[in-house]
Amino acid sequence: MLSLYDGALNVPKILKEWYEEEAQSNYGAYLPFVGTVRSEDGIEGLSFDIYEPILESWFEAWQQKAKAKGAIIKMAHSRGDVLLHESSYIAAVFSPKRRVALEFIDAFVEDFKASAPIWKYDLKDGKRIYAKDRSTAIEGSGILGAKQ
Amino acid sequence: MLSLYDGALNVPKILKEWYEEEAQSNYGAYLPFVGTVRSEDGIEGLSFDIYEPILESWFEAWQQKAKAKGAIIKMAHSRGDVLLHESSYIAAVFSPKRRVALEFIDAFVEDFKASAPIWKYDLKDGKRIYAKDRSTAIEGSGILGAKQ
Amino acid sequence: MIRVEFLGPIQKDALEVEISNLNELAAILQEDKELAEWLQNSAVAVNDTIVTSLDVALQDGDKISLLPPVCGG
Amino acid sequence: MIRVEFLGPIQKDALEVEISNLNELAAILQEDKELAEWLQNSAVAVNDTIVTSLDVALQDGDKISLLPPVCGG
């Protein structure tokens, strides 16, 4: 399940809903990762653009990988502005056993950072500035720039 | 913070309290691991004995390791009986950055399984049966059994 | 007609172009100096599937998206 | 007097013994056949600190705990 919200996430509510949705599913491990906006470099917050069609297919491919291990994943992300100490991201794994959950959340979050079509901007001095230095080119990038 | 409860944990409440406690601490990552009792082998639930003095010193040693990485850990565990699909364990890491949280939760949960002085029993046919086959001897065990 | 969309921080309106493959698109976009850096670091999707080679035939109505470096979370 | 406690699933009441080191305790406990397996797989704590060697001097009032294999979570 992939849920996108305008603005900050209501973390306690989402963690509770996901826990209750799977209460009878017989998973032994529930491992949510919550990402929160840190105060650094004088920013007032972050802002996000999302390209949903590719985010959905990326997520669906990971859901299939999870399924192959008897696990499921859920993810929530913010669109638009998220202020300091608010949260913009939750990814969770449910699995029968702990090792799958511990390994899966790590691989999922890292690939999310490297591949999910989401763009981050710093909110600073009333401006929205692309976080270029913290961004990662998606694998296979640059093909249109190669000299013919 | 180490919290012990009689019976099952109220997971949504604990996850919410921990999140709110650290809402202004400027951690970028919150990563709780939740352990839930699975239905298997015909058990009706699990039951736990805890030896608190050593659990507390074990936990405090991990808290110091977390602190050295700018992180903190929180843990909750049940005493006594926990029924099917109820939860008995939550361990959470808060850290500035994601890599520390992802690596720490794995190491912490694995050492918890290997070292924390907690004994598990299956509740089955009205009896409380030590889960011997799933238990791990603490490192350094056996010194009193060695022939002189 | 092929529609070309520039996502996220690439501040450029969508284009409609008459091309039959991605090599032709590369030639067109490389004429725009403001796109030079984005072409080097962006991924390319055809109909919302990322492609890693220019050897892709295009059909009328296809949509191409340029995805610059990402940073979710 | 040294107090010896058996934790978790070891179904045995605490003992009070007059000993001055863990070697003496090992000799006493090895006489109890019901403890044989627990002695092989239990850890030993002196005053709530786990020890990994029998070379530990004991003082009057010390507490020894036997910790059988664990399984939290």
Side-chain angles (χ1 to χ4, degrees), chain B residues 35 46 48-49 51 53-54 57 77 88-89 112-121 130-132 134-148, chain D residues 5 7-9 22-27 29-30 37-45 48-54 63-73:
Chain B
L46 299 175
F48 299 92
D49 288 342
Y51 185 61
I54 293 181
S57 53
H77 203 286
S88 54
Y89 177 49
F112 168 81
K113 286 280 175 185
S115 309
I118 301 179
W119 296 277
K120 181 179 283 179
Y121 304 82
Y130 175 49
K132 183 181 167 184
R134 280 124 67 205
S135 298
T136 306
I138 294 172
E139 202 175 320
S141 287
I143 56 173
L144 286 175
K147 289 298 167 212
Q148 310 278 306
Chain D
E5 296 182 344
L7 300 178
L22 288 178
N23 280 298
E24 292 175 54
L25 180 64
L29 297 181
Q30 286 180 15
E37 189 177 349
W38 295 120
L39 296 183
Q40 295 295 336
N41 64 17
S42 291
V44 179
D48 294 331
T49 297
I50 289 175
V51 299
T52 55
S53 148
L54 295 181
K63 179 178 72 172
I64 294 171
S65 312
L66 266 72
L67 297 93
V70 297
C71 187

Side-chain angles (χ1 to χ4, degrees), chain B residues 21-96:
Chain B
E21 281 166 14
E22 305 305 330
Q24 300 300 316
S25 307
N26 212 30
Y27 293 117
Y30 169 33
L31 187 44
F33 176 98
V34 179
T36 299
V37 178
R38 301 189 68 217
S39 175
E40 53 187 349
D41 303 326
I43 64 167
E44 291 132 29
L46 299 175
S47 190
F48 299 92
D49 288 342
I50 298 180
Y51 185 61
E52 296 185 29
I54 293 181
L55 182 64
E56 281 164 16
S57 53
W58 171 85
F59 183 78
E60 187 49 37
W62 272 96
Q63 191 67 279
Q64 292 306 317
K65 284 192 216 183
K67 195 176 173 186
K69 292 178 182 285
I72 60 163
I73 44 178
K74 297 179 190 254
M75 183 178 128
H77 203 286
S78 299
R79 294 189 202 91
D81 296 357
V82 182
L83 303 183
L84 293 186
H85 310 314
E86 293 181 335
S87 300
S88 54
Y89 177 49
I90 315 178
V93 181
F94 289 84
S95 73

Side-chain angles (χ1 to χ4, degrees), chain A residues 11 32-38 40 85-90 109-110 113, chain B residues 18-19 22-23 25-32 70-74 92-105, chain C residues 73:
Chain A
V11 172
F33 176 98
V34 179
T36 299
V37 178
R38 300 189 69 217
E40 54 187 350
H85 309 314
E86 294 182 333
S87 300
S88 53
Y89 177 49
I90 314 179
V109 168
E110 291 301 324
K113 286 280 175 184
Chain B
W18 291 356
Y19 179 71
E22 305 305 330
S25 307
N26 212 30
Y27 293 117
Y30 169 33
L31 187 44
I72 60 163
I73 44 178
K74 297 179 190 254
V93 181
F94 289 84
S95 73
K97 300 284 185 182
R98 75 177 186 281
R99 282 299 333 147
V100 166
L102 289 163
E103 288 164 19
F104 214 86
I105 195 70

Side-chain angles (χ1 to χ4, degrees), chain A:
Chain A
M1 201 187 57
L2 170 60
S3 308
L4 303 177
Y5 294 83
D6 292 325
L9 303 180
N10 184 334
V11 172
K13 181 165 182 281
I14 293 169
L15 294 181
K16 178 178 198 279
E17 284 174 2
W18 290 355
Y19 180 71
E20 291 174 351
E21 280 166 17
E22 304 305 331
Q24 300 299 316
S25 306
N26 212 31
Y27 292 118
Y30 169 34
L31 186 45
F33 176 98
V34 179
T36 299
V37 178
R38 300 189 69 217
S39 174
E40 54 187 350
D41 302 327
I43 63 167
E44 292 132 29
L46 299 174
S47 189
F48 298 92
D49 288 342
I50 299 179
Y51 185 60
E52 296 185 29
I54 292 182
L55 182 64
E56 280 164 17
S57 53
W58 171 85
F59 183 79
E60 187 49 38
W62 271 98
Q63 191 68 278
Q64 293 306 314
K65 285 191 215 182
K67 194 176 175 184
K69 292 178 183 284
I72 61 163
I73 44 178
K74 296 179 191 257
M75 182 177 129
H77 203 286
S78 298
R79 294 190 201 89
D81 296 357
V82 182
L83 302 183
L84 295 187
H85 309 314
E86 294 182 333
S87 300
S88 53
Y89 177 49
I90 314 179
V93 181
F94 289 84
S95 73
K97 301 284 185 181
R98 76 177 184 282
R99 282 300 333 148
V100 166
L102 289 164
E103 289 165 18
F104 213 86
I105 194 71
D106 192 325
F108 180 81
V109 168
E110 291 301 324
D111 189 54
F112 168 81
K113 286 280 175 184
S115 308
I118 302 180
W119 296 278
K120 180 180 284 179
Y121 304 82
D122 289 333
L123 297 175
K124 203 168 176 176
D125 304 326
K127 286 183 296 225
R128 191 173 190 256
I129 306 158
Y130 175 48
K132 183 181 168 185
D133 292 349
R134 281 124 68 205
S135 298
T136 306
I138 295 171
E139 202 175 319
S141 287
I143 55 175
L144 286 176
K147 290 297 168 213
Q148 309 279 308

